[in-house]
Structures are given as structure tokens and as C-alpha cells.
Amino acid sequence: MLMLLNHTKAKSTYKKDKSAEKPLRSILKTISWRIIGTIDTIIISWVLTGQIKTALAIGSVELVTKMILYFGHERIWNLIPYGKE
């Protein structure tokens, strides 16, 4: 696995990496991560409250708010050059 990561990094350049992260990619990453995160939140909420309706309500609210926050966070980090060299 480490060899694969090193090989991938060796082919990459700073200029390519800087422009490679398009907004659509950030949106798709946001959605996939939120699906995982929301399932986790629903399960935790269900375990803590014992009520599936409450767990689903909590999960549905955090699904929207955390997607917005993550997308903004991702786009801001894409502007920061630290660690891209």
C-alpha cells in the first residue's frame, strides 16, 4: 500500500494537484462522506435515545448542515497551498 501511495505521489506535480480538485469532485466527496456520517449519527442517536423517529430526525437535520459545512471547509482548504508541495 505504501508503495502505491509513493508511486502515485511521484507521478503528481504541485501544479497538477493545485488544479485537480474541481468543485464537482468536492460535491461528490461531500455527499459520499455525509452518507457515511449520517448513518453513524442515526445509529448513535438511536442507541442513546432508543427512538428511531428521533434518530432519523437528528440524522436528517445534520445531513444538510454538515454537507454545507464540509463543502465550504473543503473549498477553503483547496485554496491553501500548505502541504501541496
Side-chain angles (χ1 to χ4, degrees), residues 18 21 23 26 30 68-82 84:
K18 185 177 178 183
E21 188 75 22
S26 292
T30 299
I68 294 167
L69 290 170
Y70 177 82
F71 180 79
H73 179 263
E74 183 76 13
R75 299 311 301 162
I76 290 168
W77 267 102
N78 198 42
L79 297 173
I80 299 169
Y82 179 78
K84 287 189 174 185

Side-chain angles (χ1 to χ4, degrees), residues 9-50:
K9 188 172 182 169
K11 287 185 169 183
S12 174
T13 66
Y14 173 72
K15 192 170 187 170
K16 181 181 173 188
D17 287 345
K18 185 177 178 183
S19 64
E21 188 75 22
K22 305 283 187 223
L24 181 58
R25 179 177 165 83
S26 292
I27 290 169
L28 295 174
K29 286 168 58 178
T30 299
I31 292 168
S32 67
W33 177 245
R34 278 314 335 135
I35 290 169
I36 293 166
T38 298
I39 290 169
D40 179 57
T41 298
I42 290 169
I43 291 169
I44 291 169
S45 299
W46 188 16
V47 167
L48 292 176
T49 67

